[in-house]
Amino acid sequence: MNAFAYVRPKDLDSALSLIRSTPKARFLAGGTNLLDLWKMGVEQPDTLIDINRLGLSQIAELPDGGGLSIGALARNSDVATHSLVTERYPVLSQALLAGASPQLRNAATVGGNLMQRTRCYYFYDPNFPCCNKRDPGSGCGALNGFNRIHAILGQSDQCIATNPSDMCVALAALEAKIHITGPSGERVIAIADFHRLPGEQPELDTTLRPDELITAVDLPAPADTKHNLYLKIRDRSSFAFALVSAAIVLGIGEGQITSARIALGGVAHKPWRVPEAEAMLQGVKPDRATFEKVADRLLQGAHAYRYNQYKIPLARNVVVRGLLAASA
Ligand code: SF4
């Protein structure tokens, strides 16, 4: 491990000023992803800016009545078990509890979870020379390599990695808003615009600028809490990333679907939503044949590689099974 400086700012302004003046610095919150990357030699910060004293760990109702504000430093385990989350946003609680291990959830923060790097064996191991995400222009080892966990949607010929977060899939279905602060003041990004597809710049996972910091995540007031579901398929029953997952948030009244949001995890560089597929559910009665058509629309354009062809039928089954369970 390289030598580094460790600083612990007392307020947001000091933290932002430090990151501006130290380009190779990294913010430290839970450290559950940063330390992995550092130990592997993918990250080599010269300064650690420990932001744990910034007081951003609230879980509180928004003054607008009904919504929820979650501080960027709230721990995953605290969010997952908070009564406002379990009662109003069960899909978020389920997704958080499906992720990692209890020890990691106790340390990991909401802001860190949003910033989790995409998972790919070739990215995490610098002994592999080809990775456009780690070393732009060096090629993509996964394209013709072992690509069992890789993307089937939204990928480019530069990168086929997937976002590994469970929480972010639920946030996508809940249409969360990410609050950010930086040198130009505060801004709010919809979760749909926070994570990027790889395109020609796979080294960028998000639209967050290097001198900005996430401060909070806002959730809109829930319309219906009974028909929320997070369904995750993985290689083993705990401490494993999703091969495919789905966060489903339905509104149902008088036997008909009144609103539908479906986000898929494990299939793309970001949580995957298709508004046209969700619109197919508007005003219809829950029914397997309709759900199969919705799954086909969600997966339209899917493209698999040598080792991840199983993901296309698996994702279709996850969508249909998830919709049947959520609407029951
Ligand atoms: Fe790197 Fe992305 Fe290719 Fe993996 S899929 S080797 S992260 S460029």
Side-chain angles (χ1 to χ4, degrees):
M1 190 177 265
N2 57 296
F4 63 96
Y6 172 81
V7 285
R8 203 155 49 169
K10 290 198 178 71
D11 55 49
L12 211 46
D13 287 345
S14 314
L16 291 172
S17 152
L18 277 163
I19 199 85
R20 263 202 307 280
S21 59
T22 327
K24 284 190 74 184
R26 289 286 180 272
F27 288 127
L28 174 71
T32 55
N33 191 208
L34 175 63
L35 296 187
D36 271 356
L37 292 163
W38 200 348
K39 282 186 281 188
M40 296 302 290
V42 180
E43 288 279 3
Q44 292 189 314
D46 61 6
T47 306
L48 266 194
I49 305 172
D50 184 338
I51 55 173
N52 284 291
R53 286 187 175 179
L54 296 189
L56 300 171
S57 54
Q58 82 283 353
I59 303 171
E61 286 183 290
L62 286 165
D64 68 356
L68 194 69
S69 168
I70 304 174
L73 292 173
R75 305 289 152 178
N76 284 189
S77 49
D78 292 336
V79 178
T81 54
H82 196 286
S83 59
L84 286 171
V85 176
T86 55
E87 286 163 17
R88 298 185 189 176
Y89 307 96
V91 68
L92 176 58
S93 176
Q94 291 165 22
L96 283 163
L97 293 174
S101 64
Q103 292 87 348
L104 284 167
R105 292 195 292 270
N106 286 342
T109 62
V110 166
N113 200 327
L114 279 161
M115 293 301 294
Q116 215 180 147
R117 301 300 310 267
T118 51
R119 289 275 158 179
C120 170
Y121 327 109
Y122 301 91
F123 172 60
Y124 272 74
D125 187 348
N127 291 314
F128 287 114
C130 299
C131 175
N132 287 324
K133 188 178 286 293
R134 179 165 34 77
D135 183 11
S138 63
C140 172
L143 265 177
N144 297 308
F146 188 52
N147 40 39
R148 179 173 178 271
I149 61 171
H150 289 76
I152 53 172
L153 289 160
Q155 64 273 52
S156 73
D157 60 2
Q158 300 285 306
C159 179
I160 60 171
T162 53
N163 184 297
S165 172
D166 295 295
M167 180 195 81
C168 293
V169 182
L171 292 184
L174 292 169
E175 300 195 322
K177 300 244 185 298
I178 316 300
H179 287 251
I180 284 162
T181 188
S184 330
E186 295 192 8
R187 66 187 180 115
V188 179
I189 308 181
I191 181 83
D193 300 322
F194 184 78
H195 296 101
R196 296 178 68 259
L197 292 179
E200 296 294 311
Q201 278 191 295
E203 68 275 19
L204 300 178
D205 289 350
T206 72
T207 52
L208 191 78
R209 297 173 196 133
D211 54 2
E212 291 182 317
L213 184 65
I214 300 167
T215 54
V217 173
D218 282 0
L219 301 178
D224 181 334
T225 59
K226 278 189 291 195
H227 302 287
N228 277 219
L229 180 82
Y230 186 69
L231 178 59
K232 175 175 179 177
I233 305 298
R234 47 188 156 176
D235 280 328
R236 54 176 186 259
S237 59
S238 76
F239 199 24
F241 294 107
L243 297 169
V244 174
S245 68
I248 297 174
V249 176
L250 299 179
I252 298 184
E254 297 177 6
Q256 292 190 336
I257 297 173
T258 54
S259 64
R261 295 197 293 269
I262 308 164
L264 294 182
V267 296
H269 205 256
K270 61 186 287 187
W272 190 259
R273 278 185 68 191
V274 178
E276 294 80 5
E278 295 169 2
M280 291 167 67
L281 289 166
Q282 192 72 33
V284 304
K285 288 188 176 157
D287 150 74
R288 175 182 279 273
T290 305
F291 295 163
E292 287 174 350
K293 287 184 192 140
V294 169
D296 289 339
R297 181 64 189 87
L298 259 167
L299 293 164
Q300 193 173 302
H303 173 77
Y305 301 86
R306 181 171 178 193
Y307 294 102
N308 70 347
Q309 294 181 9
Y310 73 95
K311 275 199 179 186
I312 296 178
L314 178 62
R316 188 175 190 271
N317 290 342
V318 166
V319 173
V320 174
R321 184 173 137 195
L323 283 167
L324 284 168
S327 61

